[in-house]
Amino acid sequence: MIAVGLAFIYLAIRQKWEPYELLPIGMGIIVANLPLTGLLAFPSSDAGFQEAGIFGVLFHYGLSYWNILPPIIFLGIGALTDFGPVIANPKTLLLGAAAQIGIFVAFWGALASEQIGMVFTIEQAAAIGIIGGADGPTTIFLSAKLAPELLGITAVIAYSYMAAIAFIQPPLMKLFTTKSERRLEMLPVREVSRVEKLVFPNVALILIVLVVPKSAPLISMFMIGNLFRESNVVPRLTSAASNEILNIATIFLMLTVGTQLTADRVFDLQTVVILCLGLVAFSFGTIAGLLFAKLMNVFLKNKINPLIGSAGVSAVPMAARISHQIGQEANPKTFLLPHAMGPNVAGVIGSAVIAGVFISLV
Amino acid sequence: MGTNIDISIVVRAGFLTLVGMGTAILLLLSLIVFIKLSEIITKKVMIRRAGSHGGSLKGMDVKDQMVAASVAVAVLSTQQEVYKNEG
């Protein structure tokens, strides 16, 4: 496991694969697998609190007991997100929804793996399925609630696949679209007024939380962060949320996630199965987004380039950049980045909503 | 390994799938409707604001047109005089 930790550090530093996530995860793995440190201990009795290790405390309060670290990350992400592309072309929200099909493909795949002798409970299947949302904090949040024993594995797999999305998506995008579809130029996005950008997070927050109250920790922090940004009256709060707070939470969250990857949990057939299911989830999410975009074009007068459908897999902003790059390869005149940000951001909302549904009903 | 399927889990999973995807789609559709409505309202407000300045603008257009017409008449008259003198 120490070698696995070192491998993650190598991937982060040398290959620059999601370094903000994989570097602290790699260090957490090494620390957790060194013997007799007591760093992961969290005593169940009051008498032993002074015996608790720092990572035991971080895991207990940050994740398993209060589960506050992922919502704090979402505050920072909200402060960095621009809903302009979504508001300018709202039908791209549906592409974000379509790409969440990957979650349920992996969910059913986890339940069906009973046929090969690997039995997952419905809670564990939900935690595995949410990997398909390609949203790290949402994956961690849901796993901590429903299947804490799988937290480390699902989180690392989610972030690893997010880092590898540049390898996973392009072949599927080329397979499921024709060259003429990839060459399609889209009309420039309309200008969005400040009022629209101010009203949207408020309305989205109220609507989503009323329908799915259990999504409130993630959605409310996301929209609060966004309102800070769009208000333009609290620049220090916006700056703190998108820099210091986000970075501090990232450090503690990723270190804690890494410390959950002990040898007994990782070197297991279960991990290989989850690895395969994660890949299936990402792939089906990409394909569903592409095909739904093609379906929408049957009804639309102003066609959309189907490549933006794959950006519904909410690895922000990587998936949007990949849509843009593949589009540019086919036609240098096509500029898909602003269009692809719509489904990209919608995917974040979609996966948080589905996580809320899972928490409510499982 | 076996092929016995627990029907209760399948039913529960099916229910979760329907409710999960259905909720996500319905919520996002609602947001689409809201965004379209806010776009229409914003446009109407902008048109009304532009329209409230329309009276004075029309007046200026007519004034500008009269000035331009006067200048044109003056230029044509001068040119006519020049041709007459040259002819």
Side-chain angles (χ1 to χ4, degrees), chain A residues 120 128 131 150 153-154 157 161 269-279:
Chain A
F120 291 111
I128 293 167
I131 294 173
L150 294 182
I153 296 166
T154 53
I157 289 173
Y161 281 136
L269 183 61
Q270 191 181 63
T271 306
V272 175
V273 172
I274 297 173
L275 204 59
C276 295
L277 287 169
L279 183 60

Side-chain angles (χ1 to χ4, degrees), chain A residues 62-79:
Chain A
L63 287 173
S64 72
Y65 194 53
W66 288 339
N67 208 357
I68 58 170
L69 285 174
I72 292 173
I73 298 266
F74 257 49
L75 176 73
I77 293 174

Side-chain angles (χ1 to χ4, degrees), chain A residues 7-93:
Chain A
F8 275 121
I9 292 169
Y10 171 81
L11 286 171
I13 295 174
R14 191 64 192 232
Q15 306 297 333
K16 297 198 174 27
W17 278 27
E18 297 282 338
Y20 283 92
E21 285 78 29
L22 294 188
L23 183 59
I25 285 175
M27 288 303 298
I29 292 172
I30 293 171
V31 157
N33 287 279
L34 290 168
L36 305 174
T37 56
L39 286 170
L40 301 183
F42 192 84
S44 51
S45 68
D46 290 345
F49 275 161
Q50 284 191 331
E51 318 278 299
I54 180 171
F55 295 115
V57 170
L58 283 172
F59 177 72
H60 181 79
Y61 290 110
L63 287 173
S64 72
Y65 194 53
W66 288 339
N67 208 357
I68 58 170
L69 285 174
I72 292 173
I73 298 266
F74 257 49
L75 176 73
I77 293 174
L80 288 170
T81 298
D82 178 12
F83 279 123
V86 171
I87 298 168
N89 197 1
K91 54 185 172 297
T92 57
L93 281 168

Side-chain angles (χ1 to χ4, degrees), chain A residues 256-281:
Chain A
T256 309
V257 163
T259 60
Q260 297 308 300
L261 289 168
T262 49
D264 57 323
R265 284 176 180 166
V266 173
F267 294 125
D268 196 345
L269 183 61
Q270 191 181 63
T271 306
V272 175
V273 172
I274 297 173
L275 204 59
C276 295
L277 287 169
L279 183 60
V280 162

